[in-house]
Amino acid sequence: MLFLELVLCLVAALVSLVGTYLAIVEKDLLKAVVFSALQSTAYAFIYYLLMAPDIALVYIPVAVGLYPLLLVIAIRKCGRFEEV
Amino acid sequence: MGSRLLAALSMCAMALALAYALTVGVFSIYIPIELRPLAKILVTSAYNESTPLFSSMTPEIVTAVVWDYRGIDTFFEVAVFYVAIVATAALFRGIERSAPRTSVGLSTIVRTVTRIVALMIVVVGSAIILHGHLTPGGGFQGGATIAVAVALALVAYGLAKLVEHRIDYETSLKVRSLGLLGLSLSACIALIAALILNTNAYVFQNQPKTYAPIGLPYAVDGVLISGTVLLLNIFDGIAVAAGFALLLILLSQPEDVARERVLSSEGGE
Amino acid sequence: MDLETFAKFVINVVAVVLVLNAAIALYGLLARPNLLKKIIALTIFSDSINSFAILIGFRLVKGFENPVPPVITSVPPSESYARWFLAKSVDPLPQALVLTAIVINLAVTAFLVALAIQIYRVSGTLDARTLAYEKARRGEER
């Protein structure tokens, strides 16, 4: 029982690493927001598996719902691509 | 894209190798088998009818810590939250009432689905708030969930339609202030009762303590309400939901009017 | 690998990944020119630090069964339930501290986004290098 949970935790941690790396190196800000939301989803899984359902409940609407919306509004106003 | 994914996967392999080296090597993160002493006190005293003077009578220990053991901390963190929202409103002053005349929403299908889903999200958020002292949840979680419904309506219907239905800057500011006022009043409710009855009480007091015999009943008619925790959860949920709605409404103001206003004030200085 | 070693390995993986995430986000915060990209990196950084607090509150149980979340599910708790709960519950204090931090983080991030939008309205760009160059040029003119 604990074994399954630990395997899921491992997978979620690796997904969050991939999401963070892609979000930081991406030039297109809209895609970066999507990758950041992927990382947030993985973190929400980690919170749930580390027995913190309160944090998972507050983290899902904040980091997957409201925070990408704020950034998408800002990107729509300020331009989509990052110049290098 | 392919090379980036390869780099990310090699970073994963590096993390695994590093963690394996840490596990079999000398250094490893200390994972306790026993609880820490402070956590032991919290876990044994959060709901304990045999020692009512030390208990917060809340089965949800995280909510008990947030609103009873460390209530003043949380109150001032809510104050930080309020200051951040006030700062945003001050930054956007003068453009908060310039809503567009025509609504730029999405198609009819999306609008109909949104109408159903937003109502369900509000119901779920209210349930999270009202059961905050029994199950995982509380004012912060439920408030953020309700704010998602406002965000969904904002995307599907556009700002003008929302302003037509009185979900605008003024209303959310008023509701936000109402929630904060309720929060302050329910923090002082034991103090007010003690002033009337001429005894002692503390700010943020929930259950009766030594030398402070005033306290809210933790169960009414067999239904557990945990004293002030339920009130604080409700008002905090209202304040958080209205605060996020205010932020979203401020940030989605139309850009052309705003830029004109900002540039004219810039030239005037 | 027995269950104890595997549990320690997974916790080490999560810790290493959180540190790596914080490092990558710090790189993005310092080296990326766009202000919105800096804001994205800042939120990833703060979330990683918050997750570390949660990880510190985690514990293992004797016999390696599942721990339980810090919620008393039997009201009023009987003597045996209270002992069982004390033996299996995780630490509630880091969770309570992180809970408010996440919500306040969002409000502060919204303020930063509002500042970025205002900068774009005034100067027409969000590139930190261009902004610094403009500032230096204006200073020379004065």
Side-chain angles (χ1 to χ4, degrees):
Chain A
M1 203 52 196
L2 184 66
F3 179 75
L4 181 68
E5 214 164 87
L6 290 172
V7 170
L8 284 176
C9 203
L10 189 76
V11 172
L14 295 182
V15 167
S16 84
L17 183 57
V18 173
T20 308
Y21 178 72
L22 292 179
I24 295 297
V25 298
E26 183 63 60
K27 301 278 190 301
D28 186 346
L29 287 174
L30 209 55
K31 280 186 190 168
V33 170
V34 172
F35 286 131
S36 165
L38 176 75
Q39 168 261 337
S40 301
T41 318
Y43 271 21
F45 263 102
I46 292 177
Y47 291 146
Y48 181 72
L49 296 170
L50 291 183
M51 297 296 146
D54 284 273
I55 312 296
L57 268 180
V58 75
Y59 195 70
I60 289 172
V62 163
V64 187
L66 294 174
Y67 163 66
L69 183 74
L70 284 182
L71 281 170
V72 167
I73 289 172
I75 288 167
R76 208 175 109 194
K77 285 174 190 265
C78 305
R80 188 173 158 179
F81 290 97
E82 182 185 33
E83 309 95 23
V84 174
Chain B
M1 191 66 208
S3 64
R4 273 183 201 161
L5 209 56
L6 202 66
L9 289 179
S10 66
M11 286 184 83
C12 287
M14 188 181 94
L16 284 176
L18 202 56
Y20 186 71
L22 289 180
T23 313
V24 299
V26 283
F27 176 76
S28 150
I29 291 182
Y30 173 64
I31 313 148
I33 296 280
E34 288 284 309
L35 270 183
R36 292 174 184 81
L38 181 60
K40 240 177 212 170
I41 293 172
L42 291 177
V43 166
T44 46
S45 73
Y47 190 95
N48 197 339
E49 283 174 350
S50 60
T51 56
L53 288 181
F54 298 101
S55 173
S56 72
M57 294 299 178
T58 312
E60 224 281 72
I61 302 173
V62 177
T63 309
V65 174
V66 164
W67 287 123
D68 196 338
Y69 292 98
R70 304 184 71 90
I72 293 184
D73 275 23
T74 313
F75 185 75
F76 283 104
E77 286 181 23
V78 172
V80 172
F81 175 69
Y82 187 57
V83 167
I85 289 171
V86 167
T88 312
L91 199 63
F92 282 5
R93 66 191 178 279
I95 56 174
E96 66 265 15
R97 288 175 196 82
S98 56
R101 293 277 165 268
T102 54
S103 190
V104 277
L106 300 174
S107 69
T108 317
I109 300 172
V110 181
R111 287 180 180 213
T112 314
V113 171
T114 303
R115 198 178 300 153
I116 301 166
V117 171
L119 184 67
M120 282 154 80
I121 291 175
V122 170
V123 170
V124 168
S126 313
I128 290 175
I129 292 175
L130 292 175
H131 291 110
H133 56 295
L134 296 173
T135 56
F140 289 109
Q141 292 95 327
T145 311
I146 291 176
V148 169
V150 178
L152 216 56
L154 194 66
V155 172
Y157 283 91
L159 187 60
K161 194 85 175 173
L162 252 66
V163 170
E164 219 173 84
H165 287 276
R166 310 278 303 160
I167 306 174
D168 54 357
Y169 178 80
E170 304 278 329
T171 317
S172 48
L173 195 65
K174 276 173 195 158
V175 175
R176 176 84 180 81
S177 306
L178 187 77
L180 211 72
L181 188 69
L183 210 58
S184 315
L185 280 181
S186 43
C188 297
I189 193 164
L191 200 62
I192 294 166
L195 282 179
I196 293 167
L197 297 173
N198 201 12
T199 51
N200 298 321
Y202 301 106
V203 181
F204 264 101
Q205 184 179 350
N206 183 4
Q207 297 300 315
K209 299 275 179 288
T210 325
Y211 304 121
I214 301 283
L216 257 71
Y218 64 90
V220 174
D221 232 6
V223 178
L224 198 66
I225 62 162
S226 300
T228 52
V229 174
L230 179 66
L231 289 175
L232 288 167
N233 265 336
I234 291 172
F235 286 121
D236 184 53
I238 292 171
V240 168
F244 283 148
L246 181 66
L247 280 180
L248 290 169
I249 288 168
L250 272 177
L251 282 176
S252 59
Q253 294 290 336
E255 190 64 8
D256 44 351
V257 187
R259 183 168 297 165
E260 192 182 309
R261 198 73 61 91
V262 168
L263 289 180
S264 70
S265 74
E266 185 86 349
E269 277 168 9
Chain C
M1 201 186 276
D2 59 344
L3 195 56
E4 184 183 358
T5 322
F6 185 63
K8 284 192 174 167
F9 171 65
V10 170
I11 300 223
N12 273 328
V13 168
V14 175
V16 167
V17 162
L18 290 180
V19 170
L20 280 179
N21 276 350
I24 296 171
L26 207 56
Y27 159 74
L29 184 63
L30 296 176
R32 286 275 147 179
N34 193 300
L35 291 187
L36 287 178
K37 186 50 111 20
K38 280 181 198 286
I39 292 172
I40 294 174
L42 183 67
T43 52
I44 293 177
F45 183 68
S46 60
D47 284 350
S48 301
I49 302 300
N50 284 340
S51 311
F52 222 93
I54 299 288
L55 185 69
I56 285 171
F58 190 62
R59 71 181 285 202
L60 292 173
V61 181
K62 263 183 204 142
F64 298 103
E65 296 163 27
N66 272 349
V68 294
V71 180
I72 295 172
T73 47
S74 149
V75 176
S78 62
E79 190 77 21
S80 60
Y81 178 83
R83 216 175 300 119
W84 175 85
F85 185 70
L86 185 63
K88 292 192 111 180
S89 164
V90 299
D91 196 340
L93 193 62
Q95 302 189 10
L97 297 181
V98 168
L99 175 64
T100 47
I102 286 176
V103 176
I104 290 158
N105 243 329
L106 178 64
V108 174
T109 306
F111 176 57
L112 289 179
V113 168
L115 270 180
I117 291 175
Q118 198 78 351
I119 288 173
Y120 187 78
R121 278 175 193 157
V122 173
S123 64
T125 178
L126 277 184
D127 199 310
R129 296 165 299 188
T130 320
L131 287 170
Y133 176 73
E134 285 284 313
K135 186 162 174 274
R137 200 173 54 82
R138 277 190 202 173
E140 274 170 22
E141 277 174 10
R142 269 175 210 164

